[in-house]
Amino acid sequence: MTDDLGRVRTVRIEDEMRTSYLDYAMSVIVARALPDVRDGLKPVHRRILYTMGEMGLSATSSYRKCAAIVGEVMGKYHPHGDASLYDALVRLAQDFSMRYPLVDGQGNFGSIDGDSAAAMRYTEARLTGIAAEMLADIDKNTVDLVDNYDGTQKEPTVLPARLPNLLVNGSSGIAVGMATNIPPHHLGEVCDAARALIEDPELTSDDLCKYVAGPDFPTGGTMYRYETRRNPITGENETIDAIREMYAHGRGRVVVRAQVAFEETRHGRMAIIVTELPYMVNKASLLEKIAELVGAKKIDGIADLRDESDRDGMRIYVEIKRDADPHRVLNNLFKHTAMQTAFNMNMLALVDGQPQTLSLKAVLGHYIDHRRDIIRRRTEFDLEKARARAHILEGLKIALDNLDEVIKTIRESADVERARHNLMTRFGLTEIQAQAILDMRLARLAALERKKIEDEYLEVIKLMAELEDILANPSRISSVIKDELAALKAKYAGARRTRIADDSSREMTDEDLIADEDVVITISRRGYIKRQPVATYRRQGRGGKGIIGHVTREEDAVERLLVANTHDWALFFTNRGRVFSAKVHTIVDASRQAKGIAIINLPGVQVEPGEVPMATITLSDFNAGKFLVMATRNGVVKKSPLEQFEKVRSSGIIAITIAADDELAWVDVATGKDDVIVATAQGKIARFPEGEVRPMGRPAAGVIGIRLASATDHVVGMSVVQPSADLLVLTETGYGKRVALTEFRAMHRGSQGVRLISLEGKKTGDVAAVQQVTEEDEELLLISADGQVVRTETNTINRYSSQARGVIVMRLHAGDKVVGIAAFRAGLAQHAAIADNAPDEVPPAPDGEKSK
């Protein structure tokens, strides 16, 4: 090699390669791949924004061709290829890449399907409103300017960046031996965290997580806070807060899933609708992957796959085969496709030209320090400008106070230079003040204009005092930063897009993906059970004929129905006093024509021969402090703590010891301070305080709740009294009424009760069922032994006294009889249509009786 003087010198090739590679590596790290922690920009993006600002392409200006912008950037500041420059410009304009786009593009700027942007000669661009915050005050000597690549221009080393861009828009890049991958965040959360850190610099990254909930991706999706990982020391699985760990160390991973919903098609099938994808997932590639997996038989159950996205948003339609489980199909889609991905964060950025991995607090701290420097330099610039203006105004005031002598001095001067010198000599003015007097128009000599000069001078003096106070008090600078952050949040933040789920289990289970919905559970006399959406049943008026909700077979009759959530627990109590448990979603989802499956075939239900599930309740949890109240056909009641039933073996556990001639039939949940009502088939009702039944262990037999008046009578219902509730009474032939529970005063346990309804033999039959109801948006499902179902509102059934018979509320076919009632809130079913071509409503028939 030769030196600068042309002399030959010997260099080892290993040393030269090492030096050259390090120079190249640092050039890539500093000048190409990594963002600056202060403005969150790489050099190419910084040069694009700065050039567009110089070109006057603000958010309110007209668009300019991207070719002109790229040419301007390349000619002045960025001596690289136009293709890479245009790619960087395009990304700044993509709303699916940037959480808050900095460039407003007009034309084809690519799509989430991976389509490339149109050629730069066809597209146009200008800055967005939020991009102006990146360039704010750049003309006030707030940042250092350096020579460009050929020394003909000056470019900024960093932008003033009022916007905390590194966190807000994130960044990704691959350097030599290192890479950065910073997710975008919600502007409002970042602003709140920065303000909190200014107020209390001792806050940790963990404390700041109270403000920054997690990344906020432009494409939305659902992110999971907790993750289960194996401890390498103990070998046990541990649940950790992945988001907090990620922000504490500057690196980590979070799981993100697509946003999906289930939709029923007009053909009665289920479809999975995908409306949001994880960040940076290519929609077209995802569809190709799903089709490939279906073709390879790795995913079964998909009948159709379509992309129905339009200008209103994304919509991927995945139709499920009729015999397939949609939740299992969705589970497989999450497992095998990019509908679930892990975002690996590595918060690597340049700090004073050196790459560093930064925690959340460190990133916010560097941003705040940068803004303090910007505001200090901006204030110094404004103060210097104010002082210069005050200096001129002081000269103008002197001229106005000595107007006649000033005019005389100017008139006696031979030329402008002599006039300036004479003014400076005679009135003690500086050259700047003298020149300002010479440049003053005659119109300024008017009285009103003279007053304006004096007022302006006073305003400038106040401004100088304000600026000097800011520079003298660091707390004032902090207040300015906080005010600017609050203004940013109010103007640009918007709503959060990415949802955060606090699910601690990241193992893919079927229950994770079960739709959270309310369903109707029907149980037949022979122990067949099924569930259906509440919307299956159309709302009807009193006296409607309803629809067939359950098809009976082999003289099997429907006896009970209830409304529950798919994620609830179902407890099945048998006639022999044992209890089994199963999740509601494990109950088969069957059509109205199907009979369902036998309860004994449910997971976790193993009954013995002759044992029949009689009472079923659903629970969302097993809260301590609550009790289960049970009642038998012969009027025996019992109370046991609810937590005793949380863990039920598949072989069942004992709930109550039953006499040989009796059977358990009703169970309800109580708080320990309620009243209990027990109704019989012959129209009697007893109400007594729950406290008269002491809590007992599971093997206990219970005590007398109501004494039956005859050997042919039996209990038809038991429940815990609800506040302000009525009791709906329904007879076997469809007569019914509402009775206010306040009509029945509490008596002691063990009485024969009082009259509940007037029965008239064959016309009314015995009491078939009772149900507590309220008028607050509550609806009813009435069901007969032949499977006929009526859905109606509670307020369509009138109130009567305990002595009245009531009215026809359900018209039955010959030989049919009422067997059950279920009540639920109207909000549980938003749809009015019935699937599978239900018959029209039947208007209520006159009943010939008046309500009281």
Side-chain angles (χ1 to χ4, degrees), residues 541-609:
R542 176 177 62 82
K545 286 189 175 181
I547 64 171
I548 295 298
H550 187 106
V551 174
T552 58
R553 289 176 173 81
E554 302 175 2
E555 299 181 355
D556 186 18
V558 175
E559 282 198 335
R560 296 182 301 282
L561 77 167
L562 60 154
V563 177
N565 188 277
T566 50
H567 287 266
D568 288 347
W569 282 98
L571 297 183
F572 302 97
F573 295 82
T574 71
N575 56 339
R576 294 184 179 178
R578 292 203 301 158
V579 60
F580 301 86
S581 69
K583 280 288 192 176
V584 170
H585 64 76
T586 63
I587 301 171
V588 64
D589 186 358
S591 68
R592 291 188 289 109
Q593 287 75 22
K595 69 176 181 179
I597 65 171
I599 294 177
I600 61 175
N601 292 331
L602 289 175
V605 180
Q606 298 179 6
V607 298
E608 297 176 352

Side-chain angles (χ1 to χ4, degrees), residues 386-419:
R387 286 172 175 168
R389 182 58 182 167
H391 182 66
I392 291 174
L393 292 173
E394 287 172 353
L396 295 180
K397 282 174 53 61
I398 292 174
L400 293 174
D401 292 340
N402 302 276
L403 184 57
D404 293 336
E405 296 182 28
V406 168
I407 294 174
K408 181 179 179 181
T409 300
I410 295 174
R411 294 182 62 185
E412 291 176 351
S413 302
D415 52 28
V416 174
E417 186 66 31
R418 177 57 59 181

Side-chain angles (χ1 to χ4, degrees), residues 200-275:
D200 185 4
E202 300 301 320
L203 291 178
T204 63
S205 293
D206 194 60
D207 296 329
L208 294 172
C209 286
K210 298 176 183 176
Y211 305 95
V212 181
D216 186 26
F217 300 108
T219 54
T222 301
M223 178 172 52
Y224 291 88
R225 172 178 295 278
Y226 297 103
E227 187 169 8
T228 301
R229 298 179 186 173
R230 183 175 178 274
N231 189 311
I233 299 176
T234 64
E236 297 180 355
N237 288 335
E238 296 179 345
T239 300
I240 64 168
D241 190 328
I243 295 178
R244 290 180 180 270
E245 184 181 74
M246 182 175 67
Y247 286 140
H249 304 292
R251 60 175 68 233
R253 66 189 291 273
V254 288
V255 175
V256 186
R257 283 182 181 173
Q259 185 67 19
V260 300
F262 290 100
E263 183 178 289
E264 186 172 359
T265 69
R266 60 179 181 178
H267 305 298
R269 294 181 177 179
M270 293 299 295
I272 298 171
I273 308 299
V274 183
T275 54

Side-chain angles (χ1 to χ4, degrees), residues 25-35 42-43 46 175 350 353-355:
M26 287 305 300
S27 175
V28 172
I29 290 170
V30 175
R32 187 182 302 178
L34 299 185
K42 301 176 186 178
R46 186 179 300 116
L350 295 175
Q354 299 296 320

